[in-house]
């Protein structure tokens, strides 16, 4: 999917400077940063969902143990 993103001046300059310092295209840097962010957030979300599911599964035992 192609997408256009509007950046303010400061963010646009920061992206250009960082991309140049890494020797990559600004689009490649933005794609990498977005992929990294979504991967990290997806993992956190998965952990949170699993924790809730397991807490519900073991609720009786946790209550008996005082948890």
């Amino acid at each position: 999917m192609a997408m256009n993103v509007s950046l303010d001046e400061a963010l646009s300059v920061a992206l250009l400077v960082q991309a140049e310092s890494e020797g990559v295209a600004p689009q490649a840097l933005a794609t990498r940063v977005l992929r990294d962010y979504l991967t990290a957030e997806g993992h956190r979300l998965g952990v949170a969902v699993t924790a809730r599911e397991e807490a519900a599964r073991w609720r009786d035992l946790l209550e008996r143990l005082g948890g």
Side-chain angles (χ1 to χ4, degrees):
M1 164 193 349
M3 179 183 275
N4 292 324
V5 177
S6 296
L7 305 175
D8 64 25
E9 183 70 20
L11 192 53
S12 181
V13 169
L15 178 63
L16 291 171
V17 168
Q18 186 64 35
E20 185 177 309
S21 75
E22 293 185 23
V24 298
Q27 295 84 353
L29 177 58
T31 298
R32 186 184 80 221
V33 168
L34 183 56
R35 185 178 296 118
D36 291 349
Y37 172 80
L38 292 173
T39 298
E41 290 303 308
H43 176 73
R44 286 185 193 102
L45 177 60
V47 169
V49 168
T50 300
R52 277 192 295 263
E53 290 171 350
E54 291 302 310
R57 178 177 169 204
W58 296 99
R59 183 172 324 281
D60 289 340
L61 177 60
L62 290 171
E63 288 174 357
R64 286 188 302 222
L65 293 173

